[in-house]
Amino acid sequence: MTAKRTMTLNLTDAEMRALDDLSVRKDITKTAVLRQALRLYQTIEARVEKGDKLLFENDATKEKAELMFL
Amino acid sequence: MMTEISVIHLLDVATGEGVEGELRDAIEQAQLDDWQKEWQPALLAVLQDLARRGVPVDQWPQSWHWDWGKKTARVQGLLAFRGFSVVAQGVTQGLSQVDLTKAAREPSQAGKPLVYLDYVEVAPWNRPELGRPTRLRGVGSALLTAAVALSDEEGFKGRIGLHSLPQADAFYAKIGMTDLGQDAAYQNLRYFEMTAARAQAFLEKE
């Protein structure tokens, strides 16, 4: 297993609730939620840097909406 | 990042003897060199044989055009992707690349994260479907086990998913993966998923 480092994280109540909620809904630990978030953030950042756009498409209506990623 | 190496056991098909191999949690330059210098000529010989026998291109091994150099370069430095390789008898015997950002589809675990096997390929001389004598058995299973173990380690409870190439459908069904049918959004390949419960049983057996 790859060695891991520990850090303290300061979150507001709302942020902590969101983290708790994602942890339950996704069936993973809070640490796993944050690691997953980091993977996604880094992937999106790399794609946007290459000039790609981040789009969401409604499966039923096929309506597309671009997510601005600043 | 240091490459972690685990000892695995494969089967030498010709002698029936066990062979020790290495499962490495990375695809490094040595593996890409093997792919270029060892796999490519072997695959070319297979393809020339298929062409000579008039076998239509759509019946060739679907991975014949895969370029592991490009696949590896495309995800270099990205946390979402990991590579594995199996090395035995001094040469790379199998390669895989996984994506950790996908979510499960099987109803009992829909929306939960899993390890998605983007690409799995074993060396041409280990593939019985190519109609030639094979050297080692167990390479593909070792790569699959690595994906399940990674999923477990990441807290995804062993859940994995993959789109199967037609010649491998029976294998994934046999090991207890759930067949969720053909995926029109992915070249109509069948999509298979291993549930968390099935993964725990699979890891105990391995």
Side-chain angles (χ1 to χ4, degrees):
Chain A
M1 190 183 286
T2 309
K4 295 185 179 68
R5 295 166 69 178
T6 303
M7 67 174 285
T8 305
L9 196 62
N10 296 315
L11 298 176
T12 64
D13 284 348
E15 288 162 347
M16 187 57 91
R17 276 197 301 277
L19 182 56
D20 281 333
D21 178 54
L22 278 169
S23 169
V24 170
R25 283 202 290 132
K26 297 291 174 184
D27 190 24
I28 52 177
T29 63
K30 283 178 261 194
T31 298
V33 171
L34 290 170
R35 297 182 73 215
Q36 194 71 338
L38 187 56
R39 287 184 192 113
L40 288 164
Y41 194 178
Q42 189 204 36
T43 300
I44 293 168
E45 183 72 13
R47 296 288 295 264
V48 169
E49 264 183 20
K50 277 200 315 185
D52 292 349
K53 283 181 182 172
L54 183 60
L55 292 173
F56 285 92
E57 185 182 32
N58 184 300
D59 210 22
T61 64
K62 301 295 171 200
E63 195 179 339
K64 289 190 177 80
E66 184 184 342
L67 181 72
M68 294 301 290
F69 201 72
L70 304 171
Chain B
M1 197 169 78
M2 284 279 289
T3 301
E4 290 199 13
I5 302 169
S6 322
V7 174
I8 56 168
H9 300 279
L10 306 167
L11 182 78
D12 185 319
V13 177
T15 64
E17 303 271 325
V19 174
E20 268 194 6
E22 291 179 348
L23 173 72
R24 306 171 69 92
D25 71 343
I27 297 173
E28 295 170 296
Q29 192 55 49
Q31 281 74 59
L32 297 176
D33 290 347
D34 283 347
W35 170 76
Q36 187 77 55
K37 293 176 188 156
E38 307 288 339
W39 292 29
Q40 289 298 90
L43 188 59
L44 184 62
V46 170
L47 298 180
Q48 283 172 338
D49 184 43
L50 292 172
R52 199 166 34 242
R53 289 193 283 121
V55 176
V57 176
D58 63 359
Q59 289 172 32
W60 290 11
Q62 282 87 345
S63 59
W64 69 269
H65 60 283
W66 286 5
D67 182 334
W68 281 97
K70 283 185 184 165
K71 288 185 192 310
T72 305
R74 205 180 296 136
V75 299
Q76 191 71 37
L78 292 178
L79 299 169
F81 301 90
R82 299 276 294 273
F84 290 99
S85 50
V86 170
V87 178
Q89 298 178 331
V91 69
T92 303
Q93 303 286 348
L95 296 167
S96 69
Q97 191 177 94
V98 302
D99 179 346
L100 286 87
T101 65
K102 306 274 191 199
R105 304 179 188 183
E106 199 271 342
S108 71
Q109 58 187 15
K112 294 173 182 170
L114 50 65
V115 168
Y116 175 78
L117 280 117
D118 255 335
Y119 305 102
V120 182
E121 186 174 19
V122 298
W125 52 83
N126 294 328
R127 298 172 62 168
E129 82 278 9
L130 297 182
R132 294 171 170 226
T134 52
R135 289 188 211 166
L136 295 178
R137 194 176 294 160
V139 177
S141 295
L143 293 167
L144 192 83
T145 305
V148 179
L150 174 65
S151 170
D152 200 46
E153 188 184 313
E154 289 296 331
F156 302 169
K157 304 196 169 151
R159 294 182 288 260
I160 62 165
L162 57 89
H163 285 90
S164 169
L165 297 176
Q167 63 266 21
D169 287 349
F171 171 74
Y172 295 124
K174 195 176 105 185
I175 61 166
M177 292 184 76
T178 307
D179 181 356
L180 294 169
Q182 286 185 303
D183 187 346
Y186 203 94
Q187 299 154 37
N188 274 328
L189 296 178
R190 301 193 84 79
Y191 177 71
F192 285 84
E193 220 166 87
M194 187 175 280
T195 62
R198 181 63 209 146
Q200 294 314 310
F202 179 83
L203 285 176
E204 278 166 26
K205 196 174 154 204
E206 295 297 313

